Amino acid sequence: MSTINEERAADALRAHDDRARQEHHETRPLRGIAGWVDDRTGGTKGIPTLMKKVFPDHWSFMLGEIAMYSMIICLLTGVFLTFWFIPSMSQSPYDGSYVPLQGVMVSDAYQSTLDISFDIRGGLLIRQIHHWAALIFVVAVFVHMARVFFTGAFRKPREINWVFGTILSLLACIEGFAGYSLPDDLLSGTGIRAMNGFVQSIPVIGSYTAYFIFGGAFPGDMIIPRLYSAHILLIPAALVGLFTAHILLVFLQKHTQYPGPGRTNNNVVGYPFMPVYIAKAGGFFFIVFGVIALISAVVSINPIWGYGPYDPSPITAGSQPDWYMGFADGALRLLPGFLEFVAFGFTFSMNIFPGSIILLPLMWTIIGVYPFVEKWVTGDEREHHLLDRPRNAPARTGIGVAGIVLYCVLFFAAGNDLMAIKLHLSINDITNTLRVLFFIGPPIAYWITKRICLSLQQYDREKVLHGRETGTIWRHANGEFEEIHAPLTPRERWTLVQHEVLEPFVVTETTDVHGVASPIARKERWRAKLSHFYFKDRVDAVTPAELEAAHHAHGPAVTEEPVEAEVTEPAIER
């Protein structure tokens, strides 16, 4: 019997509505204060989708999380330090707990840093946690970028995220420089003095720019307050904004994953954000925090009381910048002095200006535009969510290793004086050797890396065709000896044959139907040359026909019918 037209009293209808509201109240995702806010803002609409977001499970994805957690630790400890740090260059006699400096004229910035270290309970530990977390943050950012580069995770649709990460890494270096300059000790003051010289090397406007930055003649009394504003406000705001945009793009786009059975460009195989991934991420945060705290408790860093307050007259022997700025210092030491000249009444310090001012934006610009260059060379407009094995992209891997070698040469050049002293060598010989390595080191590293990648590809090809060596020797009836090879399982074989091998681009036509030269012919020829550089040397992946032929050639010992690979991961996001 139908109840559609059944008559009910008004109070019954209201009771039914109350039950519906009660059911909705009991099943909503948030309660209490969060539920009160949700009733008025509707902020939980996207939470179910967020909770089901799938993340692949691989240790290399944790590198980005280390960077994020280190930045959070820097922010938390930085808030603690701002309570007592005084960003002022006003001079007064030191009257704190550190006896060797009592009575010495120091700036308020230096004295407040000493007070944090010796007079504030836990202040020295927090200072060291802040400094170590900053160093680990920069390390993690660069290592994470290396993982993204070598696996091709920057390809479409993630070019924008790569640009965000590039800018973030540059800001991280600038933030680190501003931070370790704040205590106004002799070591950091030497770094600021070097920065003043770098700015003055800018042609024509250098002296005016330095006067503007320092608020007068060096050292002035404005540089510490200005660095403080940049360190705690401007640069952190940019870092947090870029990091937030970076994470949002990761959530909006499919997460990259390493190739394997069941993994395609159309799905993501891994664990859901809630509860598995959030529990692992939360635990990993405390591991990172604990490791940084342990290092900070047992390893001293930046003991400013041993350097003393900054004075423009003395210079610390063997002073070195932090490692992430060392390559710029090395570039300065490798530039020959004869590059300086005078023209039109101005001094052009080309022995300083390229390494100090041009190098940083040039290097980061090259890094930032690389995805677009590779995309233009390949002409590939497809979306890529599967990562490359570095061996399957030998040209890209070689370029990355060449860049690392170039950085290492500049980094070691920053310590040419220390190497000369400790190794009892001529500093001129060390400098000249590093100058030669600057030009020949990266090409050699590129060639060696590319050959290694091609060799590994050939090894994978032979492994797929002939199977895995077992170490078992079989003697035939005719006396012939043969090693038995065990066939690979479909799951093992998948990773070795799934990659795509691109061929060099070839220019087919340089004129139109009327015989007129094409306006884009020159650009296409450049693209063909670069494509030839990338893909001339290659090892083709094993085709099904080749695999079947190899199985028949080796007989039944290695014959195996291909079967569908099973996906054992717990979650798949389409």
Side-chain angles (χ1 to χ4, degrees), residues 425-443:
L425 299 174
S426 168
I427 189 172
N428 293 327
D429 292 342
I430 294 175
T431 302
N432 290 330
T433 301
L434 291 173
R435 284 172 178 169
V436 174
L437 285 176
F438 178 84
F439 292 102
I440 70 171

Side-chain angles (χ1 to χ4, degrees), residues 6-262:
E6 181 181 357
E7 295 184 358
R8 287 183 294 172
D11 57 348
L13 292 175
R14 287 192 294 271
H16 176 74
D17 293 340
D18 290 340
R19 287 196 302 271
R21 284 194 295 268
Q22 182 67 22
E23 292 175 359
H24 171 72
H25 178 77
E26 293 176 353
T27 58
R28 64 183 181 180
L30 298 176
R31 298 183 182 181
I33 297 177
W36 184 88
V37 174
D38 177 51
D39 289 339
R40 289 151 180 81
T41 62
T44 62
K45 293 180 179 179
I47 287 183
T49 302
L50 175 63
M51 295 297 102
K52 297 177 182 178
K53 183 71 176 178
V54 173
F55 287 86
D57 186 42
H58 194 273
W59 66 266
S60 64
F61 296 133
M62 296 295 180
L63 297 171
E65 294 189 21
I66 294 175
M68 179 174 65
Y69 300 152
S70 301
M71 187 181 72
I72 293 173
I73 295 170
C74 284
L75 294 174
L76 295 176
T77 54
V79 170
F80 176 89
L81 296 176
T82 57
F83 293 152
W84 290 279
F85 181 74
I86 302 175
S88 172
M89 301 182 70
S90 300
Q91 299 287 317
S92 61
Y94 175 70
D95 58 354
S97 301
Y98 189 66
V99 177
L101 287 176
Q102 287 182 354
V104 177
M105 294 296 295
V106 298
S107 67
D108 290 342
Y110 185 76
Q111 177 159 300
S112 62
T113 306
L114 288 178
D115 292 340
I116 292 173
S117 302
F118 296 113
D119 299 319
I120 303 300
R121 190 179 299 274
L124 180 59
L125 178 61
I126 298 298
R127 258 198 69 222
Q128 300 210 145
I129 290 176
H130 186 75
H131 202 138
W132 277 113
L135 292 179
I136 293 176
F137 169 61
V138 181
V139 172
V141 168
F142 279 102
V143 177
H144 174 66
M145 289 184 65
R147 196 274 303 172
V148 171
F149 179 84
F150 285 114
T151 59
F154 54 78
R155 292 172 296 175
K156 183 181 179 181
R158 297 174 182 84
E159 303 97 331
I160 297 177
N161 233 1
W162 173 262
V163 174
F164 284 169
T166 303
I167 299 173
L168 194 149
S169 64
L170 177 59
L171 290 178
C173 294
I174 299 174
E175 173 77 343
F177 172 79
Y180 79 69
S181 299
L182 290 180
D184 199 27
D185 59 288
L186 185 56
L187 181 61
S188 65
T190 302
I192 296 177
R193 184 68 181 91
M195 182 193 74
N196 177 64
F198 300 159
V199 174
Q200 287 182 333
S201 70
I202 301 175
V204 183
I205 63 171
S207 57
Y208 302 101
T209 305
Y211 197 89
F212 171 77
I213 292 176
F214 287 87
F218 180 84
D221 57 1
M222 296 297 297
I223 187 62
I224 295 298
R226 289 177 177 179
L227 287 175
Y228 182 73
S229 299
H231 183 69
I232 71 166
L233 181 62
L234 300 179
I235 302 178
L239 286 173
V240 172
L242 285 172
F243 231 113
T244 302
H246 186 81
I247 297 301
L248 285 176
L249 284 176
V250 171
F251 271 93
L252 292 175
Q253 300 165 344
K254 289 183 181 297
H255 202 292
T256 57
Q257 57 186 341
Y258 285 92

Side-chain angles (χ1 to χ4, degrees), residues 149-150 370 374 388-402 445-457 499-502 533-539:
F149 179 84
F150 285 114
Y370 179 84
E374 184 174 300
D388 285 335
R389 300 174 75 203
R391 67 181 64 181
N392 294 333
R396 181 202 301 149
T397 304
I399 292 173
V401 174
Y446 170 82
W447 182 82
I448 294 176
T449 303
K450 187 173 181 179
R451 301 317 301 179
I452 292 175
C453 290
L454 292 172
S455 299
L456 291 173
Q457 286 188 55
H499 62 282
E500 180 182 16
V501 180
L502 299 179
F533 168 79
Y534 267 81
F535 306 118
K536 174 188 175 183
D537 300 322
R538 64 190 186 277
V539 177

